Amino acid sequence: MRLGGPAAHLVDVASKSELLEAISWASNQALPIISIGGGSNIIWQDDGFEGLVIINKIPGYDAVAVDETTAEVTIGAGENWDDIVARTVSDGYSGIEALSLIPGSTGATPVQNVGAYGQEIAQTLVHLEAFDVEMNDFVTIPAEECNFGYRSSRFKTTDRGRFFITSITLRLSKDKPQPPFYPALQRYLEEHNITEPDAAIIREAVIAIRSSKLPDPDLVANNGSFFANPIISQQQLAAIQAISDEAVPHWPTNEGLVKVAAAWLVENAGFKDFHDTQTGMATWHKQPLVLVNEGAQSTEQLIEFRQKIIAAVQEKFGITLEQEPELLP
Ligand code: NAP
């Protein structure tokens, strides 16, 4: 978002030993530590941070064949995520191709269980390696112990700040991606007369769709989707539907609950292509879920704009939107 105050100290680490060195340097001085990746899904408070920011740049890519169609790929947490998606796809593997063009680093993907177009990292993650501050050692955490939920994991909830992820291991397959595909993907395939897409075609489609709809964070300051899609009860859905002329977009999830499109709620609460002169913030004209910084000077202004949206959605639909990017420190 190009906002927020300065860090007192900041260091890049490119190996596990450099990570250990940075952690012990900070702990010797009793400084708090925050570890980040690409920085695409975080917002900094205006006060900044009186501690050490560690930027994880740990590299690595090691693919081991499990059998003729499957491989386990171990990737350094500091690798650029989309470069990794490109590499697995060009090696003929499927499993993360729908997660193409997501900005940020590889080690960040399990934190919010990154997902898009029907794939999420929890589906392919075998295990990850991390430095555990509590154990003061490196640990291997199997996927079943990550408490993955919808855009969530233990790393952003119960164990926030405890683990520094150093690598992730994914199980990928040479099998073709299977339908049904998300509507936007299906439309792309039909328009291009493709009936049996491979991973490379899905990647191509996702890149085309995302580039046409989402702002490039290198050019326009944004955090991607700013609010998570709320998971609500059938009764809540019926209440929203009762006050809406058009069908409320929703999908079934576990335990009889439904996921409702946050973008639809934001747009229908009055924030379609909305440019807020008071704060300098706006909603992206092609996707209201993406908040962009057009002229805001502080994180306080971003938060003011966020609150306007949350209040309007609450007032109209009785739903409290949850912020997706992490506010630090
Ligand atoms: P879209 O295709 O217009 O769909 C809008 C919403 O409907 C999405 O949030 C998606 O939920 C949901 N949806 C659509 N088809 C679905 C299906 N068959 N089953 C279940 N849910 C369905 O969405 P969009 O805004 O252009 O985004 C497309 C994908 O990219 C989505 O998966 C979205 O999460 C992802 N994305 C992520 C970010 C980010 O920063 N994290 C930013 C933009 C887009 P889900 O979000 O649960 O998939």
Side-chain angles (χ1 to χ4, degrees):
M1 281 293 187
R2 326 258 206 280
L3 294 172
H9 308 274
L10 182 143
V11 67
D12 284 352
V13 298
S15 66
K16 291 199 309 187
S17 60
E18 283 184 15
L19 173 65
L20 284 182
E21 207 181 320
I23 292 171
S24 88
W25 180 85
S27 66
N28 284 343
Q29 302 185 57
L31 288 173
I33 303 173
I34 291 175
S35 164
I36 67 171
S40 53
N41 204 41
I42 52 180
I43 302 156
W44 289 89
Q45 301 271 21
D46 292 319
D47 290 345
F49 179 55
E50 285 301 317
L52 173 66
V53 174
I54 297 178
I55 304 185
N56 191 326
K57 296 254 175 94
I58 298 176
Y61 185 94
D62 182 28
V64 177
V66 175
D67 55 39
E68 275 177 17
T69 56
T70 318
E72 284 194 359
V73 189
T74 299
I75 308 148
E79 294 283 353
N80 174 275
W81 174 250
D82 193 52
D83 292 348
I84 294 302
V85 179
R87 187 158 173 187
T88 61
V89 167
S90 81
D91 287 348
Y93 286 109
S94 163
I96 53 174
E97 63 281 358
L99 308 180
S100 288
L101 217 60
I102 291 179
S105 67
T106 297
T109 56
V111 177
Q112 66 153 336
N113 185 13
V114 159
Y117 301 102
Q119 276 178 354
E120 58 180 21
I121 201 72
Q123 294 164 343
T124 42
L125 189 88
V126 182
H127 53 77
L128 58 80
E129 188 192 47
F131 182 78
D132 180 350
V133 175
E134 273 181 24
M135 308 289 283
N136 197 32
D137 205 353
F138 288 95
V139 292
T140 298
I141 304 175
E144 311 78 68
E145 290 175 22
C146 293
N147 292 352
F148 283 129
Y150 181 61
R151 303 286 191 272
S152 175
S153 77
R154 64 190 288 191
F155 309 111
K156 67 177 275 192
T157 54
T158 48
D159 286 319
R160 189 170 181 250
R162 173 173 166 187
F163 296 103
F164 296 88
I165 297 172
T166 49
S167 72
I168 70 170
T169 298
L170 305 177
R171 183 179 283 248
L172 304 176
S173 151
K174 295 227 163 166
D175 293 342
K176 280 198 171 151
Q178 291 302 311
F181 299 111
Y182 261 36
L185 270 181
Q186 188 59 42
R187 264 196 306 279
Y188 178 97
L189 298 175
E190 282 163 16
E191 279 164 15
H192 292 79
N193 294 319
I194 300 163
T195 46
E196 286 186 40
D198 59 14
I201 288 171
I202 296 291
R203 172 168 167 79
E204 213 175 280
V206 169
I207 289 174
I209 298 163
R210 284 188 75 106
S211 319
S212 72
K213 218 171 153 181
L214 298 169
D216 177 348
D218 283 342
L219 307 175
V220 178
N222 80 92
N223 281 127
S225 297
F226 200 86
F227 300 106
N229 289 326
I231 310 287
I232 61 173
S233 66
Q234 297 282 355
Q235 290 92 318
Q236 281 175 298
L237 177 67
I240 303 173
Q241 192 57 76
I243 56 162
S244 309
D245 296 334
E246 53 182 279
V248 181
H250 67 277
W251 295 267
T253 61
N254 299 337
E255 295 157 12
L257 299 171
V258 290
K259 177 182 80 180
V260 53
W264 186 91
L265 297 171
V266 171
E267 183 165 323
N268 285 278
F271 288 91
K272 186 185 171 114
D273 195 9
F274 189 95
H275 301 261
D276 189 33
T277 46
Q278 272 173 339
T279 62
M281 294 294 303
T283 55
W284 186 243
H285 59 292
K286 291 181 184 164
Q287 167 53 292
L289 207 48
V290 176
L291 306 194
V292 301
N293 173 8
E294 291 184 326
Q297 303 296 319
S298 66
T299 301
E300 197 183 341
Q301 289 177 309
L302 160 68
I303 290 172
E304 199 183 316
F305 185 55
R306 173 194 76 181
Q307 288 314 116
K308 284 185 191 183
I309 297 175
I310 291 177
V313 168
Q314 176 71 47
E315 161 96 19
K316 183 153 184 193
F317 300 114
I319 291 180
T320 311
L321 289 177
E322 299 285 344
Q323 178 176 320
E324 209 191 73
E326 198 177 358
L327 182 63
L328 296 170

